[in-house]
Amino acid sequence: MFLESQSNRDSYERHGEGFCPIHVASMRGYVDIMTENFLHVAARFGADNIVDFVLKEQWFESLINEKNGIGNTPLHLATMNGHPKVVNCLTWDKRVDVILVNVESLTALDIAVSVEHPTSFHQRLIWTALKSAGARSARESKDVPPSRRRSKTRNTEEYKDRVNTLLLVSTPVATVTFAAGFTMPGGYNSSDPNVDMAILLMKNMFQVFVICNTLAMHTAILATITLIWAQLGDLNLMGTALRFALPFLGVALTAMSLAFTAGVYLVVSNLHWLAIAVSSIGIICLVILFVPFLLLFLPSKNTNCILSCRFGADNIVDFVLKEKWFENLINEKDGNGNTPLHLATMYEHRKVINCLTWDKRVDVNLVNGESLTALDIVVSVEHPTSFHQKLIWTALKSAGARSAPESKDIPPRRRRSKTPNTEEYKDRVNTLLLVSILVATVTFAAGFTIPGGYNSSEPNVGMAILLMKNTFQAFVICNTLAMYTAILATITLIWAQLGDLNLMDTALKFALPFLGVALTTMSLGFTVGVYLVVSNLHWLAIAVSSIGIICLVFLLVPFLLLFLPSKNTNCILRYISYYPFLILVWASQSHAIKR
């Protein structure tokens, strides 16, 4: 009864301009909403928890296949609005009729292949869920209106970028595994009766190495040849080539990883703890590697303070914050309701925002005359660079800033596009993919061209000569970590090739730490490896170590800045992020000579 009465009250509640919800729905063309039940609304807006609740309650069974004013069931609406989680919930319930048609004679599957969703990956997930539940196209769906039919002449640029990038991965894998076939772990016999034969030929792990390396080389070549076919420009041919090339490339990367583990294990097997460490790193990374790859195939009055904030005078703002006499200015609004924090955000003055958000007297959630908080402004105003915007957003979020409830009605001219250009992400992903595969291939090769070479005499024939040296053991651990984390970064970045913006963002969040570990451990591996073979000449060993340590510090600082400052509101993390934030502000500001 309470819900019913509350619902009635809400239906007649008027907006600031005097409009009821029914007026707003009519003005915006949502006539069908007025004939929808709450399951329709939940499906339309992706509220999977409500959909799940309805499906579990027998009282609501009649709503499951109910149609709205234009014949759309909840399944139609979830498909139309691109909510794969809701579609998945509905298609797993046997009571949901997946082949019902709406007034346009379209089933949910017809909509999945005709409506352009914001991301093709969402569309693919929805299509997969519907097909696996037995959804079919309606006979009448051949007459889908042209405006709703997916274009047959889709832009091939997306496929071209993906094909070219995968070619850059498969070719280095093929070349490095080819070379590894002749720089055998353990080296070659130089005496009869097995002259020029592999020293460790009769070892089981050597045989595993040869089979895995051969498999990696050939599948990488098959992937390369398949992707060369995709260069012919035919869209269907590109799709088919990618379907075959991805499994080939997956097998190649997996087999290359196994070959590396088997080969390194073989030459360090006399030192048990090191052999176990190499095997453990290999197995853990292989499990992590398998998961993402398999998923590819599954489916104011006083304006002094305000003017300072508007024009970025951070020294004046800092002075005002320190003087108690000016305390009343800190949250004062101008004629448009903007506080100093609003203005600093609007005019993208990062240092001023940093000063203000670190002062506990500043109310970061005040709204201006347009009912916008400072956080609303940072996600609606187009700044000259997205990095500036990210810095401002980070400073506000770490200070506990929130969006205003009313901020959903941001004027269209101020609203940020919901479908941002993915080119910026694509370039970044492609570049990082090239870096990661080069690191993977060079560290793979280093696993068998080990510092100091191999023993050629009994009792340790074929074993690493310097095996018992601590620095050699450090080299093996660092090189193994570098190789596997580089391959994990490569697999993660291949995911980003699917074209989904959210997927790209997630892939970059995982790939960057992997790549950071790979580059750091590769540098460490190089330093200890070179130190090892020149250690008899002390000044040269010290020089190599000094250069390595200095460069590692310079390497770590810019890389850590990719992850700091943190948006976390935790006090300790905020203090840790304070100086990295200032460094980033300095690095991103214009260094032109001020007149």
Side-chain angles (χ1 to χ4, degrees), residues 102-137:
N102 62 11
V103 294
E104 296 180 24
S105 297
L106 300 176
T107 66
L109 189 65
D110 294 321
I111 291 169
V113 296
S114 64
V115 172
E116 290 294 335
H117 291 315
T119 66
S120 58
F121 189 69
H122 279 183
Q123 196 171 19
R124 180 179 168 185
L125 285 176
I126 291 166
W127 182 86
T128 302
L130 290 168
K131 286 294 283 183
S132 64
R136 300 191 302 271
S137 290

Short mmCIF file of all heavy atoms in Angstrom, two decimals, residues 102-137:
data_model
loop_
_atom_site.label_atom_id
_atom_site.label_comp_id
_atom_site.label_asym_id
_atom_site.label_seq_id
_atom_site.Cartn_x
_atom_site.Cartn_y
_atom_site.Cartn_z
N ASN A 102 7.58 -8.08 -31.83
CA ASN A 102 6.92 -6.82 -31.47
C ASN A 102 6.06 -6.35 -32.64
O ASN A 102 5.86 -7.10 -33.61
CB ASN A 102 7.94 -5.76 -31.03
CG ASN A 102 8.92 -5.41 -32.15
OD1 ASN A 102 8.74 -5.78 -33.31
ND2 ASN A 102 9.98 -4.70 -31.78
N VAL A 103 5.54 -5.13 -32.59
CA VAL A 103 4.63 -4.65 -33.64
C VAL A 103 5.35 -4.47 -34.98
O VAL A 103 4.71 -4.41 -36.02
CB VAL A 103 3.94 -3.33 -33.23
CG1 VAL A 103 3.01 -3.54 -32.07
CG2 VAL A 103 4.96 -2.23 -32.93
N GLU A 104 6.67 -4.42 -34.96
CA GLU A 104 7.44 -4.34 -36.22
C GLU A 104 7.84 -5.72 -36.72
O GLU A 104 8.66 -5.85 -37.63
CB GLU A 104 8.69 -3.48 -36.01
CG GLU A 104 8.39 -2.02 -35.67
CD GLU A 104 9.67 -1.22 -35.47
OE1 GLU A 104 10.73 -1.62 -36.00
OE2 GLU A 104 9.60 -0.19 -34.79
N SER A 105 7.26 -6.75 -36.11
CA SER A 105 7.55 -8.15 -36.45
C SER A 105 9.02 -8.51 -36.27
O SER A 105 9.61 -9.22 -37.07
CB SER A 105 7.12 -8.44 -37.90
OG SER A 105 5.74 -8.28 -38.05
N LEU A 106 9.62 -7.99 -35.20
CA LEU A 106 11.02 -8.27 -34.89
C LEU A 106 11.12 -9.08 -33.61
O LEU A 106 10.50 -8.75 -32.60
CB LEU A 106 11.81 -6.97 -34.71
CG LEU A 106 11.89 -6.00 -35.89
CD1 LEU A 106 12.64 -4.75 -35.47
CD2 LEU A 106 12.57 -6.64 -37.08
N THR A 107 11.92 -10.13 -33.64
CA THR A 107 12.26 -10.85 -32.41
C THR A 107 13.43 -10.11 -31.75
O THR A 107 14.01 -9.20 -32.35
CB THR A 107 12.68 -12.31 -32.70
OG1 THR A 107 13.90 -12.29 -33.45
CG2 THR A 107 11.60 -13.06 -33.45
N ALA A 108 13.80 -10.55 -30.54
CA ALA A 108 14.94 -9.93 -29.86
C ALA A 108 16.22 -10.13 -30.67
O ALA A 108 17.08 -9.25 -30.73
CB ALA A 108 15.10 -10.53 -28.46
N LEU A 109 16.34 -11.31 -31.35
CA LEU A 109 17.53 -11.57 -32.15
C LEU A 109 17.60 -10.64 -33.36
O LEU A 109 18.68 -10.18 -33.74
CB LEU A 109 17.54 -13.03 -32.62
CG LEU A 109 18.83 -13.50 -33.30
CD1 LEU A 109 20.00 -13.48 -32.33
CD2 LEU A 109 18.66 -14.90 -33.88
N ASP A 110 16.46 -10.34 -33.95
CA ASP A 110 16.43 -9.38 -35.06
C ASP A 110 16.95 -8.02 -34.61
O ASP A 110 17.70 -7.35 -35.32
CB ASP A 110 15.00 -9.21 -35.60
CG ASP A 110 14.46 -10.46 -36.24
OD1 ASP A 110 15.23 -11.16 -36.93
OD2 ASP A 110 13.27 -10.77 -36.04
N ILE A 111 16.53 -7.62 -33.40
CA ILE A 111 16.97 -6.33 -32.86
C ILE A 111 18.47 -6.35 -32.59
O ILE A 111 19.18 -5.37 -32.86
CB ILE A 111 16.18 -5.98 -31.57
CG1 ILE A 111 14.72 -5.67 -31.94
CG2 ILE A 111 16.81 -4.80 -30.83
CD1 ILE A 111 13.79 -5.57 -30.77
N ALA A 112 18.97 -7.48 -32.08
CA ALA A 112 20.40 -7.59 -31.75
C ALA A 112 21.28 -7.38 -32.96
O ALA A 112 22.39 -6.84 -32.84
CB ALA A 112 20.70 -8.96 -31.13
N VAL A 113 20.81 -7.78 -34.15
CA VAL A 113 21.64 -7.62 -35.35
C VAL A 113 21.27 -6.39 -36.16
O VAL A 113 21.87 -6.13 -37.20
CB VAL A 113 21.57 -8.87 -36.26
CG1 VAL A 113 22.12 -10.07 -35.56
CG2 VAL A 113 20.15 -9.14 -36.74
N SER A 114 20.27 -5.61 -35.69
CA SER A 114 19.87 -4.43 -36.46
C SER A 114 20.12 -3.12 -35.74
O SER A 114 20.34 -2.09 -36.36
CB SER A 114 18.38 -4.51 -36.83
OG SER A 114 17.58 -4.48 -35.67
N VAL A 115 20.07 -3.16 -34.40
CA VAL A 115 20.26 -1.92 -33.63
C VAL A 115 21.74 -1.72 -33.35
O VAL A 115 22.42 -2.63 -32.91
CB VAL A 115 19.47 -1.97 -32.31
CG1 VAL A 115 19.81 -0.78 -31.42
CG2 VAL A 115 17.98 -1.97 -32.59
N GLU A 116 22.24 -0.54 -33.64
CA GLU A 116 23.64 -0.22 -33.37
C GLU A 116 23.81 0.16 -31.89
O GLU A 116 23.35 1.19 -31.45
CB GLU A 116 24.11 0.96 -34.25
CG GLU A 116 24.22 0.61 -35.72
CD GLU A 116 25.31 -0.42 -36.00
OE1 GLU A 116 26.25 -0.52 -35.21
OE2 GLU A 116 25.20 -1.12 -37.02
N HIS A 117 24.42 -0.70 -31.11
CA HIS A 117 24.70 -0.40 -29.71
C HIS A 117 25.95 0.45 -29.63
O HIS A 117 26.75 0.49 -30.56
CB HIS A 117 24.88 -1.68 -28.91
CG HIS A 117 23.61 -2.45 -28.77
ND1 HIS A 117 22.42 -1.86 -28.45
CD2 HIS A 117 23.34 -3.78 -28.93
CE1 HIS A 117 21.48 -2.78 -28.39
NE2 HIS A 117 22.01 -3.95 -28.69
N PRO A 118 26.20 1.09 -28.45
CA PRO A 118 27.41 1.89 -28.31
C PRO A 118 28.69 1.10 -28.57
O PRO A 118 29.65 1.63 -29.03
CB PRO A 118 27.35 2.37 -26.85
CG PRO A 118 25.90 2.30 -26.48
CD PRO A 118 25.34 1.17 -27.26
N THR A 119 28.70 -0.19 -28.26
CA THR A 119 29.91 -0.97 -28.48
C THR A 119 29.56 -2.29 -29.14
O THR A 119 28.57 -2.93 -28.79
CB THR A 119 30.63 -1.29 -27.16
OG1 THR A 119 29.81 -2.14 -26.39
CG2 THR A 119 30.97 -0.05 -26.38
N SER A 120 30.36 -2.71 -30.09
CA SER A 120 30.10 -3.95 -30.81
C SER A 120 30.28 -5.15 -29.89
O SER A 120 29.69 -6.20 -30.11
CB SER A 120 31.04 -4.06 -32.01
OG SER A 120 32.39 -4.00 -31.58
N PHE A 121 31.11 -5.04 -28.86
CA PHE A 121 31.33 -6.17 -27.97
C PHE A 121 30.08 -6.47 -27.16
O PHE A 121 29.74 -7.63 -26.95
CB PHE A 121 32.51 -5.88 -27.04
CG PHE A 121 32.94 -7.06 -26.23
CD1 PHE A 121 33.53 -8.15 -26.85
CD2 PHE A 121 32.74 -7.11 -24.86
CE1 PHE A 121 33.92 -9.27 -26.11
CE2 PHE A 121 33.12 -8.21 -24.12
CZ PHE A 121 33.72 -9.28 -24.75
N HIS A 122 29.38 -5.43 -26.71
CA HIS A 122 28.09 -5.64 -26.04
C HIS A 122 27.13 -6.35 -26.97
O HIS A 122 26.40 -7.25 -26.56
CB HIS A 122 27.49 -4.30 -25.60
CG HIS A 122 28.07 -3.79 -24.32
ND1 HIS A 122 27.63 -2.64 -23.71
CD2 HIS A 122 29.05 -4.27 -23.53
CE1 HIS A 122 28.32 -2.43 -22.60
NE2 HIS A 122 29.18 -3.41 -22.47
N GLN A 123 27.11 -5.92 -28.23
CA GLN A 123 26.23 -6.52 -29.22
C GLN A 123 26.56 -8.00 -29.40
O GLN A 123 25.67 -8.84 -29.47
CB GLN A 123 26.40 -5.78 -30.55
CG GLN A 123 25.28 -6.02 -31.54
CD GLN A 123 25.40 -5.09 -32.72
OE1 GLN A 123 26.45 -4.53 -32.97
NE2 GLN A 123 24.33 -4.94 -33.48
N ARG A 124 27.83 -8.30 -29.41
CA ARG A 124 28.27 -9.69 -29.57
C ARG A 124 27.85 -10.54 -28.37
O ARG A 124 27.39 -11.67 -28.54
CB ARG A 124 29.79 -9.72 -29.73
CG ARG A 124 30.38 -11.10 -29.90
CD ARG A 124 31.88 -11.04 -30.07
NE ARG A 124 32.49 -12.33 -29.95
CZ ARG A 124 33.79 -12.55 -29.97
NH1 ARG A 124 34.61 -11.53 -30.11
NH2 ARG A 124 34.29 -13.75 -29.85
N LEU A 125 27.97 -9.99 -27.16
CA LEU A 125 27.56 -10.72 -25.95
C LEU A 125 26.06 -10.99 -25.96
O LEU A 125 25.62 -12.09 -25.63
CB LEU A 125 27.93 -9.92 -24.70
CG LEU A 125 29.40 -9.89 -24.28
CD1 LEU A 125 29.58 -8.97 -23.09
CD2 LEU A 125 29.91 -11.28 -23.94
N ILE A 126 25.27 -9.99 -26.35
CA ILE A 126 23.81 -10.14 -26.40
C ILE A 126 23.42 -11.17 -27.43
O ILE A 126 22.59 -12.05 -27.18
CB ILE A 126 23.14 -8.77 -26.68
CG1 ILE A 126 23.31 -7.85 -25.47
CG2 ILE A 126 21.67 -8.93 -27.02
CD1 ILE A 126 23.00 -6.39 -25.74
N TRP A 127 24.03 -11.09 -28.62
CA TRP A 127 23.75 -12.03 -29.69
C TRP A 127 24.08 -13.46 -29.25
O TRP A 127 23.32 -14.40 -29.48
CB TRP A 127 24.56 -11.65 -30.93
CG TRP A 127 24.32 -12.51 -32.13
CD1 TRP A 127 23.35 -12.38 -33.06
CD2 TRP A 127 25.10 -13.67 -32.52
NE1 TRP A 127 23.45 -13.36 -34.00
CE2 TRP A 127 24.52 -14.17 -33.70
CE3 TRP A 127 26.20 -14.30 -31.98
CZ2 TRP A 127 25.03 -15.29 -34.35
CZ3 TRP A 127 26.71 -15.42 -32.63
CH2 TRP A 127 26.14 -15.90 -33.79
N THR A 128 25.21 -13.64 -28.56
CA THR A 128 25.63 -14.95 -28.07
C THR A 128 24.62 -15.51 -27.07
O THR A 128 24.24 -16.69 -27.15
CB THR A 128 27.02 -14.86 -27.40
OG1 THR A 128 27.95 -14.34 -28.34
CG2 THR A 128 27.51 -16.22 -26.93
N ALA A 129 24.17 -14.67 -26.12
CA ALA A 129 23.19 -15.11 -25.11
C ALA A 129 21.88 -15.53 -25.77
O ALA A 129 21.30 -16.56 -25.40
CB ALA A 129 22.94 -13.99 -24.10
N LEU A 130 21.42 -14.77 -26.76
CA LEU A 130 20.16 -15.08 -27.44
C LEU A 130 20.27 -16.36 -28.27
O LEU A 130 19.40 -17.23 -28.21
CB LEU A 130 19.74 -13.91 -28.33
CG LEU A 130 19.28 -12.64 -27.61
CD1 LEU A 130 19.18 -11.47 -28.58
CD2 LEU A 130 17.93 -12.86 -26.93
N LYS A 131 21.36 -16.50 -29.02
CA LYS A 131 21.54 -17.68 -29.87
C LYS A 131 21.65 -18.95 -29.02
O LYS A 131 21.08 -19.99 -29.36
CB LYS A 131 22.78 -17.53 -30.75
CG LYS A 131 22.61 -16.56 -31.89
CD LYS A 131 21.61 -17.01 -32.93
CE LYS A 131 22.16 -18.09 -33.84
NZ LYS A 131 21.18 -18.45 -34.91
N SER A 132 22.38 -18.87 -27.91
CA SER A 132 22.55 -20.05 -27.06
C SER A 132 21.25 -20.45 -26.38
O SER A 132 21.07 -21.60 -25.96
CB SER A 132 23.64 -19.81 -26.01
OG SER A 132 23.25 -18.77 -25.12
N ALA A 133 20.30 -19.50 -26.28
CA ALA A 133 18.99 -19.80 -25.68
C ALA A 133 17.99 -20.25 -26.74
O ALA A 133 16.82 -20.47 -26.44
CB ALA A 133 18.46 -18.57 -24.96
N GLY A 134 18.43 -20.36 -28.00
CA GLY A 134 17.55 -20.85 -29.07
C GLY A 134 16.75 -19.77 -29.75
O GLY A 134 15.75 -20.06 -30.44
N ALA A 135 17.14 -18.50 -29.61
CA ALA A 135 16.41 -17.40 -30.27
C ALA A 135 16.56 -17.51 -31.78
O ALA A 135 17.60 -17.93 -32.29
CB ALA A 135 16.92 -16.06 -29.77
N ARG A 136 15.48 -17.12 -32.49
CA ARG A 136 15.50 -17.16 -33.96
C ARG A 136 15.02 -15.84 -34.50
O ARG A 136 14.37 -15.05 -33.80
CB ARG A 136 14.58 -18.27 -34.48
CG ARG A 136 14.93 -19.65 -34.01
CD ARG A 136 14.14 -20.71 -34.78
NE ARG A 136 12.70 -20.53 -34.66
CZ ARG A 136 11.96 -21.07 -33.70
NH1 ARG A 136 12.52 -21.82 -32.75
NH2 ARG A 136 10.65 -20.87 -33.67
N SER A 137 15.32 -15.61 -35.76
CA SER A 137 14.77 -14.43 -36.44
C SER A 137 13.35 -14.73 -36.90
O SER A 137 13.04 -15.87 -37.27
CB SER A 137 15.62 -14.07 -37.66
OG SER A 137 16.86 -13.58 -37.26
#
